[in-house]
Amino acid sequence: MSNPMNNIFIAAYLAIKEVFRNRGRFLMVALVIALITVLVLFIAALGEGLSDANRQYVANLDAQLIVFLEKSDYSITASRLETNTVKAVRRVDGVADAGPIYTSNTEIVSLPEPLKISMLGVEAEKPGMPPLLDGRYFRGGEAREAVMDMSVAQRTNLKIGDTIEIRSTQGTEDEFFTLTIVGLVDKQAYFFQPTIFVPPSTWELMRPQAESDLDSDTPYPNIIAVRLQDPAQAEEMKLRLVEKVSNIEVADIETTINNIPGYTAQQGTVQTQGGFTLLIGILVIGGFFQIQVLQKVPQIGVLKAIGSSNFVVGLSAVIQIIIVTAIGVGIGATLNYLFSLGLPPTIPLAFNGSRSIFAILLLLFIGPLGGLVSIIYAVRIEPLKALRLG
Amino acid sequence: MSDIALEVKDLVKSFSLDGATINAVDQVSFQVKFGEFVALVGPSGSGKTTMLSILAALLSPTSGQVLIDGQDLSQMAEKDRVKLRREKIGFTFQANNLIPYLSARENVEFMLRLNGKLDHGSRIRSDELLARLGLAERLHNLPAQMSGGQQQRVAIARALIHNPALVLADEPTASLDTERAFQVVETFANLIHENGRAGIIVTHDLRMCQFVDRVLQMQDGKLVRVYEGKKEIKQLAMAGVH
């Protein structure tokens, strides 16, 4: 009998027996794979962490479209809209709601270590204001109240009810403002910094500004977050908004993220590093298994001479590589998890992101890919030559 | 059913070397019956290893026929040759005989696994065969934990366990001392006779011929002489190493 199932069982039997009986040697290979896994996952986590720190707020917006100033090339910092644009956008058919977003950077100085933050001006309960995790929204007007992101709380131990002091350079003077924390939101980092949210008028009052801006107390939004009645109509709504509202350009969330300054270049760099690490992994694993097959030539010759098919020999090699790779990736992922537990929140590493899962799947795949040459070599071994009969 | 286990007809195997054609096996014909143990002897380069490789379905002949249990392997596709090796042939080699990560028992049972015949009954038969070969205490030993002679005996058990039509042994005593060598070949011969298999042993040590029923002597690829009858074979065995 030589049915496919019997062949699969025989291949698995040979692979498992060999790994088990030579567990010391295979463990060494698995540990090398584990180290590669740690490195790949670390880079993936760094990419995810940096990406989160840069785009988290925009990515989590409860909106489908972002309105920019015309010719700003979808750059949030380059865009500065007229105040009446928000009303004009809200009036367009198909727009469920729209909220202005004002961006700037400032510093909390009432802490043992000053903390640089992104200060975003938004209207409570409008698109642009994230959902509350705890507490309440700030009041309108120039209320000295703020909602803070969890990333601020993690770094400072601040809690709802605490007050913070903000330093802002206005003209040539440093101005100090006091805010009370009234609410808490999560996953809202923006431009590599933890974030606080304040009302637009408060934002205008407190934002760093040049001497020439000091005479005006009108806040100009950088962008407007637009929530649509039918998110499926996003493409049509882009055109309609540009047609109905003057001096604007409109992008979806993905385009907005890709145009955050430095985002694409940074992610490209991290992904290239990750790609090269995977490539090195493929070569290292390939080298290991190739050496192993070369050492086993007579043994594979015996297997073939006594009637094992190429399918059995090849599948056995594949199963063996999968087992060793899975053990190595498992060890590496566990080490990485333990590693992540000891890291401070200031380091932008995200070990639980989709990139880490993708990296693990990719690592599981690179074992067989790296071992492909050795598998082909094993299948092509001629028993006559392997046994030196020819 | 024919009592002929192996039939070789006008077998030729040619190789090209520096533009010249060399017949490693040249017009060889012979038969081996079930229950018959035959030695293939001859000096180095006489063609006996090439002959064995062809009989083992590892090498295709240039011309002629090889029928194992009635199946003509010279006409077979590679896939069918693999099947033939698995089902109809048992093989022991000079060295590297066993799968190093399988125990003695697992090495023998592996042939049963390959043929889909591993069950409770065949497991008992496998253990009995190993015990018969003096390896009852070595069932769980890996090849590296056994002597050369013990490894050869495991290989013999593996070659016989699936009841092949033809059992081939390539210099099985090459790495053994004289006493062990005699033991191994004698046991091999007994099992061939008892199980009614056809056996061919390639050896350069003519002393081993005392355990066989017939000796085929090769020289320059040709079958030059056949020794039959106890007296004739005994005289040859007395001659010692070829």
Side-chain angles (χ1 to χ4, degrees):
Chain A
M1 189 178 80
S2 175
N3 63 53
M5 282 312 291
N6 191 40
N7 282 340
I8 292 168
F9 280 130
I10 290 170
Y13 171 80
L14 287 173
I16 292 167
K17 283 283 179 189
E18 185 171 11
V19 171
F20 181 72
R21 295 261 158 82
N22 296 299
R23 47 193 178 274
R25 178 155 49 96
F26 281 102
L27 186 63
M28 291 300 290
V29 181
L31 286 178
V32 172
I33 295 172
L35 288 176
I36 291 167
T37 303
V38 168
L39 193 57
V40 169
L41 287 183
F42 190 85
I43 291 172
L46 185 67
E48 184 92 13
L50 286 171
S51 166
D52 280 353
N54 208 346
R55 63 165 208 160
Q56 210 172 40
Y57 170 65
V58 178
N60 291 337
L61 276 175
D62 179 23
Q64 289 79 43
L65 297 176
I66 304 293
V67 172
F68 294 82
L69 178 67
E70 191 176 24
K71 295 179 182 172
S72 62
D73 292 334
Y74 309 119
S75 164
I76 295 174
T77 46
S79 171
R80 200 170 182 216
L81 293 159
E82 293 296 325
T83 48
N84 58 4
T85 309
V86 180
K87 285 179 186 168
V89 168
R90 283 176 182 152
R91 280 199 296 267
V92 174
D93 276 350
V95 171
D97 207 350
I101 298 170
Y102 308 78
T103 69
S104 66
N105 302 311
T106 184
E107 194 175 22
I108 303 175
V109 291
S110 55
L111 296 167
E113 285 286 322
L115 178 67
K116 289 189 186 306
I117 54 166
S118 288
M119 183 172 69
L120 301 183
V122 291
E123 291 180 5
E125 299 184 80
K126 290 286 180 190
M129 180 69 225
L132 282 174
L133 199 66
D134 198 6
R136 63 170 175 82
Y137 291 116
F138 39 70
R139 288 169 290 167
E142 291 185 0
R144 300 295 175 93
E145 293 177 345
V147 170
M148 69 172 171
D149 182 32
M150 188 67 97
S151 56
V152 179
Q154 283 170 341
R155 293 180 198 207
T156 60
N157 290 326
L158 285 170
K159 53 189 184 299
I160 293 170
D162 288 349
T163 56
I164 54 174
E165 193 172 28
I166 300 290
R167 180 174 62 195
S168 181
T169 305
Q170 298 187 337
T172 54
E173 301 290 323
D174 273 352
E175 299 289 341
F176 294 87
F177 303 93
T178 303
L179 288 167
T180 303
I181 306 294
V182 295
L184 187 65
V185 293
D186 194 16
K187 294 185 176 26
Q188 300 298 331
Y190 174 68
F191 215 52
F192 303 111
Q193 289 174 337
T195 313
I196 65 165
F197 296 88
V198 293
S201 297
T202 308
W203 176 85
E204 175 61 22
L205 184 74
M206 291 168 44
R207 73 181 172 95
Q209 46 196 304
E211 191 80 39
S212 56
D213 288 350
L214 289 174
D215 292 340
S216 166
D217 57 359
T218 306
Y220 296 96
N222 293 92
I223 52 171
I224 299 166
V226 182
R227 187 163 64 231
L228 302 175
Q229 287 168 353
D230 180 7
Q233 298 290 315
E235 285 304 312
E236 291 88 333
M237 284 302 296
K238 268 192 211 174
L239 299 174
R240 191 181 297 171
L241 281 163
V242 171
E243 187 188 330
K244 300 282 183 189
V245 182
S246 56
N247 299 327
I248 63 162
E249 57 189 21
V250 184
D252 54 27
I253 298 292
E254 195 60 38
T255 308
T256 305
I257 289 169
N258 288 333
N259 283 282
I260 293 174
Y263 177 80
T264 307
Q266 176 208 67
Q267 288 303 305
T269 307
V270 172
Q271 280 166 13
T272 305
Q273 284 176 339
F276 269 107
T277 313
L278 279 173
L279 186 67
I280 291 165
I282 289 170
L283 294 174
V284 170
I285 293 168
F288 268 118
F289 285 108
Q290 183 65 18
I291 291 167
Q292 176 150 313
V293 168
L294 287 173
Q295 288 174 337
K296 292 197 309 186
V297 167
Q299 176 188 319
I300 293 169
V302 170
L303 276 173
K304 289 189 174 185
I306 63 176
S308 303
S309 62
N310 281 336
F311 176 77
V312 167
V313 171
L315 184 63
S316 175
V318 171
I319 292 171
Q320 203 170 76
I321 292 169
I322 289 172
I323 291 170
V324 176
T325 308
I327 292 170
V329 171
I331 294 170
T334 307
L335 286 174
N336 232 57
Y337 173 71
L338 296 173
F339 187 45
S340 72
L341 296 179
L343 286 174
T346 46
I347 299 175
L349 291 171
F351 287 99
N352 53 354
S354 57
R355 286 187 206 200
S356 297
I357 293 164
F358 181 67
I360 287 173
L361 293 175
L362 214 55
L363 283 160
L364 288 172
F365 178 70
I366 66 161
L369 188 67
L372 199 61
V373 175
S374 66
I375 293 164
I376 293 168
Y377 187 84
V379 167
R380 286 187 177 172
I381 288 171
E382 287 183 33
L384 203 61
K385 287 180 181 167
L387 296 166
R388 294 179 186 158
L389 291 171
Chain B
M1 188 181 135
S2 166
D3 65 343
I4 306 295
L6 169 69
E7 188 168 11
V8 177
K9 292 182 190 171
D10 304 324
L11 195 68
V12 176
K13 180 64 189 178
S14 305
F15 295 102
S16 286
L17 188 66
D18 297 333
T21 302
I22 294 167
N23 287 343
V25 175
D26 193 0
Q27 292 292 335
V28 174
S29 299
F30 65 90
Q31 293 180 341
V32 183
K33 292 177 183 171
F34 284 105
E36 191 179 18
F37 192 29
V38 173
L40 198 57
V41 300
S44 240
S46 60
K48 54 186 191 301
T49 299
T50 304
M51 170 66 81
L52 196 76
S53 301
I54 295 170
L55 299 183
L58 293 171
L59 189 65
S60 297
T62 306
S63 65
Q65 271 191 313
V66 176
L67 287 93
I68 296 172
D69 203 13
Q71 294 185 36
D72 186 356
L73 67 86
S74 50
Q75 302 293 322
M76 278 183 185
E78 181 53 32
K79 191 181 166 192
D80 297 322
R81 285 167 169 270
V82 172
K83 187 169 183 279
L84 184 89
R85 287 206 292 271
R86 185 167 60 232
E87 293 176 354
K88 300 281 184 187
I89 299 172
F91 212 144
T92 73
F93 314 97
Q94 279 187 43
N96 299 315
N97 249 313
L98 304 176
I99 311 299
Y101 48 84
L102 298 183
S103 67
R105 174 193 263 170
E106 289 164 347
N107 259 289
V108 177
E109 287 179 353
F110 185 69
M111 277 317 295
L112 297 167
R113 274 184 200 279
L114 268 182
N115 285 292
K117 288 179 179 171
L118 184 64
D119 54 26
H120 181 66
S122 63
R123 276 203 164 104
I124 291 172
R125 205 155 48 79
S126 163
D127 284 358
E128 284 173 352
L129 183 55
L130 283 165
R132 170 84 192 279
L133 287 158
L135 297 164
E137 305 297 317
R138 297 282 181 180
L139 295 181
H140 303 291
N141 282 71
L142 293 172
Q145 297 165 326
M146 291 185 281
S147 68
Q150 287 167 335
Q151 288 184 38
Q152 280 296 357
R153 281 181 275 161
V154 175
I156 289 168
R158 187 185 64 191
L160 288 162
I161 191 65
H162 58 300
N163 282 325
L166 178 66
V167 183
L168 303 169
D170 180 28
E171 303 270 15
T173 59
S175 57
L176 304 181
D177 60 48
T178 306
E179 192 184 346
R180 291 274 177 221
F182 279 130
Q183 275 179 8
V184 165
V185 178
E186 186 175 16
T187 313
F188 202 176
N190 290 340
L191 288 166
I192 292 285
H193 291 137
E194 286 170 25
N195 293 298
R197 306 293 100 198
I200 296 181
I201 180 172
V202 168
T203 182
H204 67 283
D205 188 349
L206 296 177
R207 295 173 301 172
M208 301 302 151
C209 294
Q210 62 184 292
F211 302 107
V212 305
D213 306 305
R214 197 149 47 103
V215 179
L216 308 177
Q217 188 175 24
M218 289 187 73
Q219 193 170 335
D220 299 329
K222 292 181 189 296
L223 188 58
V224 290
R225 188 170 172 186
V226 178
Y227 296 84
E228 285 179 292
K230 283 187 178 175
K231 192 178 169 189
E232 200 178 15
I233 290 173
K234 197 174 178 183
Q235 280 178 345
L236 178 71
M238 298 279 278
V241 177
H242 207 290

